[in-house]
Amino acid sequence: MTELAPYAVTETNSRGRRIAEAAPQGRSEFQRDRDRIIHSGAFRRLEYKTQVFVNHEGDLFRTRLTHSIEVAQIARSIARRLHLNEDLAEAISLAHDLGHTPFGHAGQDALNACMKAYGGFEHNLQSLRVVDMLEERYAEFNGLNLCFETREGILKHCSAENAAQLGELGERFLNSRRPSLEAQVANLADEIAYNNHDVDDGLRSGLITLEQLEAVPLVAAQLNEVRHAYPDLPERRVVHETVRRMINALVSDLIRQSELNISKQSPVTLEDVRSAAAMIAYSPEMNEQQRALKNFLRTQLYRHYRVLRMSTKAQRIISDLFGIFMADSRLLPPQFMQQADVNHARAVSDYIAGMTDRYAIREHRRLFAVEEE
Ligand code: MG
């Protein structure tokens, strides 16, 4: 590993774990965090959770698992180039979606609506609940007992109301301070990954076309280059080559601009990073271009009538499940029923949020279809 920048997160400047543990042997603290995340149950369930497309729609679409792996790859490349802690950027990336509900954004919105009177549902906060409490794998603590900096990176957004209850971890949302550069990298790597794979998945599904994408400057620039250089290339390869170049253009721009921001603000320590403005950023031109792409995806793909039909169904499944478990906690599996004595709505929310797409569909069928036993 190349030498880290003085403002990178290290084991020395880390705020450590909530429960003290012996130092790991043969791996760093942040490698240990990454390993714990990979071995968690919530991580394995990401394989059957989706963002835009529901899992059974096709085997080639991204799931949250492959998405998280792509985010980790992009984050590591950027972290390495900026002399930041690659292991931390990787750990945050692999954990960032652990708290997501089944059925992507539709599921999250539906669960949040159900939980309105009980403190709401935020997927970021749920990812933190998973690693802090819900995983039950270790003899000596609940959750994964991750390092402060990994948990800080997982909690990307948070309402002021929730932040006030999170102690040290919530402080930055109240004092408008920044997380580590590694967390900032993971956050933007997430955006780079989903914008690009949604283009790829959107084209494969036939919901959007290359012709439509020609109106999006970020895509058009790369697409024209590919078509010009390889006039006879089959369409699928044109798409892959274009997406590959888009990721490259975004990552290169991000590294260039971030290096510039870092040299302007010249942080010396990790605390300098936390009190400065965000330094990991695109150039203003690239920012404009990637916003246009996001906008395109929002209007043409995420609001496509076929996606909306599936989302509506997903919302119904979530709200039906929430309703039936709230009406009778005895229908919950035993471990959630126990929690329901403490906080009924939160126990139901934890149970539903942990479901995969297909588990939620089956559970709905088991509880509502009269022909099932
Ligand atoms: Mg994500």
Side-chain angles (χ1 to χ4, degrees):
M1 200 150 86
T2 53
E3 208 179 315
L4 293 183
Y7 41 80
V9 174
T10 63
E11 292 182 348
T12 316
N13 62 20
S14 168
R15 296 190 197 171
R17 301 177 191 277
R18 293 204 290 179
I19 296 159
E21 292 185 59
Q25 299 294 309
R27 54 181 173 165
S28 74
E29 295 284 4
F30 298 104
Q31 285 170 340
R32 173 152 75 178
D33 277 7
R34 175 205 54 206
D35 299 346
R36 286 184 177 177
I37 291 158
I38 289 176
H39 288 275
S40 69
F43 185 73
R44 277 195 301 284
R45 287 198 299 274
L46 292 177
E47 184 176 2
Y48 301 104
K49 291 192 182 199
T50 46
Q51 210 147 322
V52 179
F53 299 91
V54 170
N55 195 257
H56 63 247
E57 286 180 68
D59 289 342
L60 289 173
F61 297 122
R62 265 67 170 190
T63 66
R64 286 206 184 264
L65 180 64
T66 54
H67 162 70
S68 301
I69 294 170
E70 289 181 37
V71 175
Q73 181 275 317
I74 293 170
R76 286 184 64 156
S77 303
I78 299 168
R80 196 178 312 136
R81 287 283 302 277
L82 296 175
H83 304 287
L84 300 172
N85 188 328
E86 219 179 297
D87 297 324
L88 172 59
E90 182 184 24
I92 296 170
S93 303
L94 293 176
H96 83 285
D97 270 353
L98 290 180
H100 261 287
T101 60
F103 312 124
H105 301 295
Q108 128 96 28
D109 293 346
L111 191 53
N112 187 30
C114 293
M115 285 294 288
K116 203 156 183 269
Y118 312 98
F121 177 88
E122 290 178 25
H123 62 84
N124 269 287
L125 203 56
Q126 190 69 13
S127 296
L128 192 67
R129 271 177 78 74
V130 168
V131 301
D132 279 358
M133 303 168 56
L134 298 179
E135 283 289 323
E136 294 180 336
R137 314 187 70 78
Y138 297 90
E140 304 202 342
F141 44 79
N142 285 337
L144 308 179
N145 196 33
L146 302 179
C147 295
F148 175 87
E149 294 73 18
T150 310
R151 299 168 58 232
E152 170 194 58
I154 292 171
L155 195 65
K156 198 157 57 173
H157 319 283
C158 182
S159 64
E161 204 183 338
N162 286 324
Q165 295 167 25
L166 287 172
E168 199 188 12
L169 205 61
E171 275 169 20
R172 75 179 166 93
F173 299 97
L174 305 171
N175 310 336
S176 68
R177 282 163 63 85
R178 251 56 53 192
S180 68
L181 292 180
E182 287 82 354
Q184 297 180 33
V185 165
N187 186 8
L188 283 164
D190 182 24
E191 190 175 79
I192 294 176
Y194 68 68
N195 282 333
N196 285 285
H197 63 54
D198 287 353
V199 167
D200 188 28
D201 285 351
L203 287 167
R204 186 180 297 108
S205 66
L207 299 189
I208 55 174
T209 63
L210 268 183
E211 288 60 45
Q212 280 177 296
L213 280 162
E214 279 165 11
V216 182
L218 182 62
V219 188
Q222 308 301 331
L223 183 60
N224 292 339
E225 266 186 38
V226 172
R227 279 188 170 148
H228 186 76
Y230 309 98
D232 301 321
L233 204 61
E235 175 125 329
R236 272 317 298 170
R237 278 173 71 164
V238 169
V239 172
H240 291 313
E241 185 64 32
T242 302
V243 170
R244 178 179 88 79
R245 288 171 184 232
M246 281 162 53
I247 295 176
N248 203 23
L250 285 157
V251 167
S252 308
D253 179 89
L254 189 79
I255 291 170
R256 246 190 333 267
Q257 185 64 41
S258 302
E259 278 172 344
L260 203 67
N261 295 345
I262 292 169
S263 77
K264 263 193 204 152
Q265 305 215 36
S266 54
V268 178
T269 66
L270 178 56
E271 280 315 299
D272 292 344
V273 167
R274 292 200 164 111
S275 47
M279 285 179 258
I280 306 298
Y282 305 110
S283 66
E285 306 76 55
M286 189 55 98
N287 198 34
E288 186 74 17
Q289 289 201 18
Q290 73 90 28
R291 269 167 185 276
L293 172 60
K294 275 178 109 146
N295 201 29
F296 171 87
L297 288 170
R298 187 166 49 243
T299 54
Q300 306 302 316
L301 181 60
Y302 310 146
R303 291 188 196 151
H304 192 286
Y305 85 98
R306 275 175 50 201
V307 173
L308 289 180
R309 280 182 179 206
M310 193 58 234
S311 306
T312 310
K313 214 176 349 176
Q315 278 163 353
R316 174 136 24 81
I317 291 174
I318 300 273
S319 62
D320 283 352
L321 288 175
F322 188 84
I324 201 166
F325 293 128
M326 283 304 280
D328 189 349
S329 66
R330 291 171 307 170
L331 299 175
L332 286 165
Q335 71 271 32
F336 290 96
M337 208 172 100
Q338 276 167 17
Q339 279 183 53
D341 292 338
V342 184
N343 184 334
H344 189 175
R346 192 55 64 186
V348 171
S349 162
D350 285 342
Y351 179 44
I352 293 176
M355 293 179 183
T356 61
D357 296 1
R358 60 181 190 176
Y359 184 92
I361 291 168
R362 279 188 208 145
E363 186 73 334
H364 189 268
R365 207 183 297 139
R366 279 194 289 266
L367 288 160
F368 289 94
V370 280
E371 68 270 23
E372 291 272 320
E373 87 264 35

